[in-house]
Amino acid sequence: MAAIDQLPPLRDVIATHELSARKSLGQNFLLDLNLTAKIARQAGDLTGCDVLEIGPGPGGLTRGLLSEGARKVLAIEKDMRCMPALAEIEEAYPGRLQVINGDALEVNPLTHLTPPIRVAANLPYNVGTELLVRWLTPKKWPPFWQSLTLMFQKEVAERIVATPGSKAYGRLAILAQWRADARIVLHLPPGAFTPPPKVSSAVVHLDALETPRFEADAGTLSRVVATAFNQRRKMLRSSLKSISPDIEDRLVAAGIKPTDRAEVISLEAFCALAREVAKT
Ligand code: SAM
């Protein structure tokens, strides 16, 4: 297959800069540049967009994003060892890559980005989920991002796109589908990564909706849903007791049977309940 750029193959980059993968940083690298370009294409039309990339590592996905035409990539990487490899990419794409050495959970990237902004990342599972929830629950909507294209462990990806009644349905599905269109766009076997992880992975693409599907306060919805699914096998009148002393009345006012369990409640009904709970 044709090379996507003039830079050395990622195996050589890793050898030159001695980037042995560290488990503590969740380092499972993608070394096939045709695959990283394919993931970058799932992020949509990148021309005219700034892209926020979290966890570039040796830069496989970064190179994919740049070769697919991103106006600028802002990459935040915790591992200092990756900086020289990323500097080589900066040189090959003058003025189009900015790298910040830091923890994505602490750095605020927004001052360095100009809308429209897309987000793309292949991150360790725990950091990815935490960031996804943050990106989905700002008080104001629409958010800073137009789309998110994120690699997850397959089971987590399935939770994001799950529908009521399924085992995977829960907080992630509700938060994602309330304010975005979410779909799985790519499945990857463990062998796609170096070193291969124990689990399969999937790329999820989310497009931000202009307005949330149903009215609700983000904080209240998030709290109600987290509490409801914390004890998902219990009836809502019991699992949601801590939310309000008169939760049974509020459930009825929202059109929900108090004896129902969280896993059968639709997104629309959870939003109605969040509105009832927010009433004084
Ligand atoms: N994007 C590269 C690829 O696809 O080959 C690397 C993916 S690897 C699964 C995850 C990357 O995220 C690693 O480079 C790791 O050092 C970085 N990372 C882990 N935790 C991070 C954090 N809190 N903030 C920024 N980067 C982080």
Side-chain angles (χ1 to χ4, degrees), residues 10 14 22 24-32 36 39 53-62 75-82 86 100-107 120-128 131 151 192-194:
L10 284 156
I14 284 176
R22 291 207 173 135
S24 61
L25 285 166
Q27 291 182 335
N28 302 100
F29 300 131
L30 291 168
L31 303 188
D32 177 350
T36 62
I39 296 170
E53 188 196 356
I54 311 289
L61 181 56
T62 320
I76 304 178
E77 171 57 59
K78 196 170 175 179
D79 188 352
M80 181 74 186
R81 296 178 308 152
C82 297
L86 295 168
I100 298 179
N101 181 209
D103 185 335
L105 295 170
E106 278 154 29
V107 173
N122 172 20
L123 265 175
Y125 150 64
N126 56 338
V127 184
L131 285 171
M151 180 85 69
F193 302 84
T194 304

Side-chain angles (χ1 to χ4, degrees), residues 117-155:
I117 300 164
R118 294 186 186 272
V119 179
N122 172 20
L123 265 175
Y125 150 64
N126 56 338
V127 184
T129 310
E130 159 104 41
L131 285 171
L132 173 65
V133 170
R134 283 193 202 177
W135 288 329
L136 289 169
T137 52
K139 235 181 152 37
K140 287 211 177 116
W141 201 263
F144 76 89
W145 51 272
Q146 194 174 75
S147 68
L148 309 173
T149 307
L150 308 171
M151 180 85 69
F152 286 103
Q153 187 177 322
K154 182 172 146 260
E155 286 70 21

Side-chain angles (χ1 to χ4, degrees), residues 146-221:
Q146 194 174 75
S147 68
L148 309 173
T149 307
L150 308 171
M151 180 85 69
F152 286 103
Q153 187 177 322
K154 182 172 146 260
E155 286 70 21
V156 179
E158 284 168 352
R159 280 200 247 146
I160 295 168
V161 302
T163 48
S166 65
K167 251 171 85 184
Y169 184 60
R171 183 176 74 125
L172 278 183
I174 287 163
L175 294 182
Q177 296 169 37
W178 176 42
R179 286 171 146 181
D181 276 328
R183 60 188 203 282
I184 293 178
V185 290
L186 213 58
H187 285 276
L188 284 96
F193 302 84
T194 304
K198 289 203 175 69
V199 293
S200 292
S201 301
V203 177
V204 181
H205 180 82
L206 300 102
D207 284 308
L209 298 174
E210 203 46 48
T211 48
R213 258 178 246 282
F214 308 102
E215 206 187 308
D217 168 68
T220 313
L221 180 64

